[in-house]
Every structure is written in C-alpha cells, then in structure tokens.
Amino acid sequence: MPKNKKRNTSHRGGSGGGGSGAAAATAATAGGQHRNVQPFSDEDASIETMSHCSGYSDPSSFAEDGPEVLDEEGTQEDLEYKLKGFIDLTLDKSAKTRQAALEGIKNALASKMLYEFILERRMTLTDSIERCLKKGKGDEQRAAAALASVLCIQLGPGIESEEVLKTLGPILKKIICDGTASIQARQTCATCFGVCCFIATDDITELYSTLQCLENIFTKSYLKEKDTNVICSTPNTALHISSLLAWTLLLTICPINEVKKKLEVHFHKLPSLLSSDDVNMRIAAGESLALLFELARGMESDFFYEDMESLTQMLRTLATDGNKHRAKADKRKQRSVFRDILRAVEERDFPTETVKFGPERMYIDCWVKKHTYDTFKEILGSGMQYHLQSNEFLRNVFELGPPVMLDAAALKTMKISRFERHLYNSAAFKARTKARSKCRDKRADVGEFF
C-alpha cells in the first residue's frame, strides 16, 4: 500500500472459481510415486484422469468442508501432499486438468492458512498463474485470477505480494482491456487486480494507474446524452459491475486529495447507473454512492450535494419498486438494499451488522467496512470466517487485533461435526414440513366450511 495513506482510519473497514473441473485435477500419482504418462489432449482428459484418481481428493471438497476436513480426516502433511500434486498439475498438457488444479489450490488456500507452505513455493505458484493467464482461455484464466487473489490474501502486505502484483499486474490489465477475451475471465481479473493492488501496492502511482484502468471500464456504462432514461444491459455489464466494485474498494485507501478529485468527476455521473435494467448494476451503483457519501462527509461534515432532491427521489423509487416487469426476487433484494442506501444518504445512518466467527464477533458499522467485507467474502466464500480468525492481514484490515489463541479442547467444544449439522438440518426440515401441513389442513377446513 502507498506509504502516505492511512491503514487504520475511519475510512477503512476492518467471484473466484471453484470445483467445476474438479474431476480432472485428481489425475496424479498413487502411492506417492510421480506419474510418468504421455501428455493427453482435452478430449481424453476425463478418461485419463479417472484412472489416476486414487492419489488426490476432489478439489471441491476444500470449499465444501473447509478446515474441518484436516482435523477430522487427515493431517497437515496430507493437505500439503495434495497441494504439491495440484501445483505439478498446473503444468499439465490438458487445459481442463490445469483449470481444476488451479481451483483445487484456490479452494485449499481459501479454507486454511498455509503461509509457510506457499511462501516456499511462491515463485512456482506465481509462474504457474502467469503461464495460465497468458496461454489459457476463458475458465482457465478465470481460475488463475481467482487463485492470484487468494494467494495475495494469504501473503498479506509485503515484498512477497508486491512481487506477485508486479509479475501479474500487467497481464491482468491486458486481459481486462482485451475485448476478445472471455467476459467471465475479464470480470475475475478486474476483481483480482483491485484486490491485489489493495493488499500489495506500496506505490501511489501504481494505485492511481489501477484506478484509472478500472475507471475506463465501468464508465462505459454511464448514461450518454443521446441515450434514453434507461441503460440497457449488455454482455459487458457484469465486467462493468466488477470494475466498479474494485474501483470503489481502492478508493477507500486513496489519499484525501485523490478522493476529492474522484468525487468531483463521478458524483454527478454515477447516479445514471441507477437507471440500468440490470438489478446487480443498480445495487452496485447504489452501494458505491452510499460509500462515496460516507467518504465525502468524513472529509467535510457539512458536505453539500447539489442534486440531493433528485437523487433521493430516485433512491426512494428503487426502495419501493413495484414494477411488474421485474422478477419478484430482484425487487425484494433491491428494495432491501436501497432502503439502507436511502437512510445513509438522507439520514447518515447505517444499520449495524454483526459477524460471528469462533468465539469472536465483528461489528460492521459503516459502508467502507461493509464493502471491504463483502469483497473478501466473495473471494474466500465459506473460508471467510476462518481467515477472520487466523489471517493477520484481514484482522489488521478490520482492526480485530492479534489472533485469539485457543487450545484444542476449546476448539473441539466450538466445532459442530458434519453429522450434527445433518441432524440439525433434518430436524429443521421436518419442523417446516409439519408447519406447512398444519397450514394446509386449516385452509382445507375453511374451504369445506364455506
């Protein structure tokens, strides 16, 4: 991070791939011997890997079971052995195998802190990611970018993550700006570029360059003068959303002077995205606006926005949207979010959220903190709680202090086994079914009475 920006200020709070090609990554050695087979093509990848599946487990299991798997079903050595196999498979001739290996490594790093292990293999991992980004296509590039994000989260700020960003940054930028590349790959690369810069950069010029790159992408969705009052979504809309969210994340660590410049440019253009026909774009634009208002008021308590009346009217409309042509789920999600956004803009209020992890809890009490949490939650998935407990970088970001040390007995009492979770879910399902049956019986009785 730039040296002249504050890490613990009031402006800073405290979509990766997974498992689609899991079967392919199981192609490895059995019994600890390295396989020695002829390279194979994508067409016979599934057949080849099926015959070599005894050595490594399904990579998707890391995401599903999390770190509990290590305690109950294996050891640290087992995991590291599997990861070494996955790292070797990133050099495989088959694109499907490489993709699944990348996803397996990403899922493992998202669910377990393996700092020492990856520190020793940082250059190898970086080289593998670089090769897959350069030579891969579509899903492979997406998986490589997702792994790069988790790699930087594991390493935290420092020279190691700076070198990762220095190596991968130009490639990520090239893919983001490449109109012929897969939208999903460009979308994940935009998120990765923003997150890695957030973690690793110590150069203010590099931070500004990344901001400008992302800005050039999402501003293409701004309402043009010749356009109608509604912004129609395009295949690039998802990329624009990811770029906007990554840009907003980086804005939270910018120096005050740069924040003021960005506010002057975007405060009057960003509301045009609220008229998009894509619900995710509307929500992303609304949350970014709420965060910008929070930053502006943090710098100037008497901050005045000229078009406040028209903006609040637009937000109020979205918070009570009842358009029949929109899906019910979209309307429900949108109304819930925009009620909070309207309160933030009008009343400077934020509904505090509580996040529990282990014996600890964290209070999300501002938009900056919420946006930061949502970004890392999107990348780490179910591993977010584990990282909040153990990852020193994330604990510094959210001002949680040093990790809380717990003995084995305390951990065992806190942990719920998979069987207990299954029993709990079954009981809850039975209770819901019984309640629905009673409700149906009552309706039937009323119908017979009339």
Side-chain angles (χ1 to χ4, degrees):
M1 291 186 179
K3 296 176 181 176
N4 63 340
K5 65 176 180 269
K6 295 178 285 185
R7 280 193 175 276
N8 293 319
T9 67
S10 59
H11 295 321
R12 180 154 179 185
S15 17
S20 63
T26 57
T29 60
Q33 295 180 349
H34 188 73
R35 69 174 183 174
N36 185 18
V37 297
Q38 293 298 318
F40 51 90
S41 64
D42 292 348
E43 288 78 8
D44 59 359
S46 59
I47 299 174
E48 180 73 18
T49 54
M50 285 295 287
S51 64
H52 293 83
C53 64
S54 60
Y56 300 104
S57 64
D58 186 344
S60 63
S61 65
F62 289 119
E64 178 183 351
D65 300 324
E68 291 182 10
V69 175
L70 298 177
D71 299 326
E72 296 174 3
E73 301 172 10
T75 64
Q76 183 79 7
E77 290 75 17
D78 293 334
L79 175 60
E80 292 183 1
Y81 171 74
K82 294 172 185 176
L83 285 177
K84 289 175 185 177
F86 290 146
I87 292 172
D88 290 341
L89 289 174
T90 60
L91 303 175
D92 199 272
K93 293 291 184 180
S94 166
K96 292 181 181 179
T97 302
R98 293 194 304 270
Q99 176 196 337
L102 293 167
E103 291 172 347
I105 301 169
K106 182 261 180 184
N107 290 336
L109 298 186
S111 60
K112 182 73 175 176
M113 280 301 297
L114 297 164
Y115 179 80
E116 296 297 334
F117 177 83
I118 65 171
L119 191 62
E120 296 175 1
R121 298 162 179 81
R122 174 178 54 83
M123 295 302 298
T124 303
L125 280 169
T126 305
D127 290 343
S128 295
I129 295 170
E130 180 183 13
R131 189 180 302 104
C132 292
L133 285 173
K134 283 183 175 180
K135 298 184 178 180
K137 302 291 182 183
D139 289 340
E140 184 180 348
Q141 290 178 316
R142 175 188 54 77
L147 173 57
S149 298
V150 182
L151 178 62
C152 280
I153 293 173
Q154 284 263 354
L155 292 172
I159 189 170
E160 292 84 7
S161 56
E162 287 177 22
E163 290 178 357
V164 172
L165 179 61
K166 186 176 181 180
T167 301
L168 302 180
I171 307 170
L172 293 170
K173 186 175 181 179
K174 183 178 179 181
I175 295 173
I176 293 169
C177 300
D178 183 3
T180 63
S182 159
I183 291 295
Q184 290 77 16
R186 296 173 70 192
Q187 185 180 354
T188 308
C189 285
T191 300
C192 174
F193 199 23
V195 168
C196 291
C197 186
F198 179 88
I199 297 169
T201 188
D202 196 36
D203 183 354
I204 199 72
T205 305
E206 188 176 355
L207 173 63
Y208 293 165
S209 174
T210 306
L211 276 170
Q212 191 60 51
C213 172
L214 297 169
E215 195 172 309
N216 292 340
I217 299 296
F218 75 80
T219 52
K220 293 176 182 178
S221 279
Y222 278 169
L223 190 66
K224 309 296 188 299
E225 293 182 2
K226 62 180 180 179
D227 290 342
T228 60
N229 292 329
V230 177
I231 299 176
C232 296
S233 59
T234 68
N236 289 326
T237 298
L239 169 64
H240 296 173
I241 293 171
S242 295
S243 300
L244 172 60
L245 295 176
W247 177 84
T248 305
L249 176 70
L250 291 181
L251 200 62
T252 65
I253 59 172
C254 280
I256 291 177
N257 290 338
E258 184 66 17
V259 173
K260 288 182 177 179
K261 291 178 184 178
K262 296 299 182 183
L263 292 180
E264 290 175 2
V265 173
H266 295 280
F267 239 145
H268 298 286
K269 296 180 180 180
L270 197 56
S272 68
L273 298 181
L274 297 175
S275 63
S276 171
D277 62 358
D278 186 290
V279 64
N280 293 316
M281 175 59 88
R282 294 195 298 273
I283 290 174
E287 292 183 336
S288 295
L289 272 170
L291 189 147
L292 293 185
F293 267 96
E294 186 173 273
L295 292 178
R297 287 164 174 167
M299 294 182 292
E300 301 176 16
S301 59
D302 57 347
F303 171 77
F304 176 74
Y305 183 69
E306 295 177 358
D307 300 327
M308 179 64 81
E309 186 175 346
S310 61
L311 176 61
T312 52
Q313 181 58 43
M314 190 181 300
L315 294 175
R316 191 172 290 106
T317 301
L318 292 170
T320 58
D321 189 6
N323 287 339
K324 293 183 179 179
H325 68 277
R326 287 178 179 161
K328 287 184 178 180
D330 288 350
K331 287 189 290 187
R332 193 179 303 114
K333 179 182 178 182
Q334 174 184 291
R335 287 196 295 260
S336 174
V337 172
F338 275 94
R339 280 194 294 267
D340 294 338
I341 294 171
L342 182 61
R343 285 172 58 188
V345 173
E346 275 191 324
E347 306 171 18
R348 307 188 179 204
D349 187 27
F350 181 87
T352 302
E353 302 174 16
T354 303
V355 178
K356 296 180 180 178
F357 48 98
E360 302 175 87
R361 63 183 59 193
M362 175 177 71
Y363 297 100
I364 299 177
D365 52 6
C366 63
W367 285 98
V368 170
K369 205 169 186 177
K370 173 178 167 53
H371 185 67
T372 307
Y373 175 81
D374 289 345
T375 300
F376 286 102
K377 178 71 165 64
E378 182 69 22
I379 295 170
L380 295 172
S382 60
M384 181 65 177
Q385 290 189 339
Y386 181 85
H387 277 264
L388 284 175
Q389 287 181 268
S390 309
N391 190 312
E392 291 187 9
F393 159 66
L394 282 184
R395 293 186 68 86
N396 287 335
V397 167
F398 294 108
E399 301 176 348
L400 297 171
V404 176
M405 303 302 294
L406 297 172
D407 56 31
L411 286 172
K412 191 171 183 179
T413 57
M414 290 163 44
K415 195 171 295 183
I416 301 176
S417 68
R418 296 171 65 186
F419 179 67
E420 289 173 323
R421 284 202 304 269
H422 175 71
L423 291 179
Y424 176 81
N425 292 334
S426 298
F429 176 76
K430 289 178 181 178
R432 288 194 299 270
T433 304
K434 188 178 294 185
R436 291 194 194 103
S437 299
K438 289 182 179 179
C439 185
R440 282 195 293 267
D441 292 342
K442 289 179 182 179
R443 288 200 298 266
D445 291 342
V446 172
E448 291 176 3
F449 177 79
F450 286 105

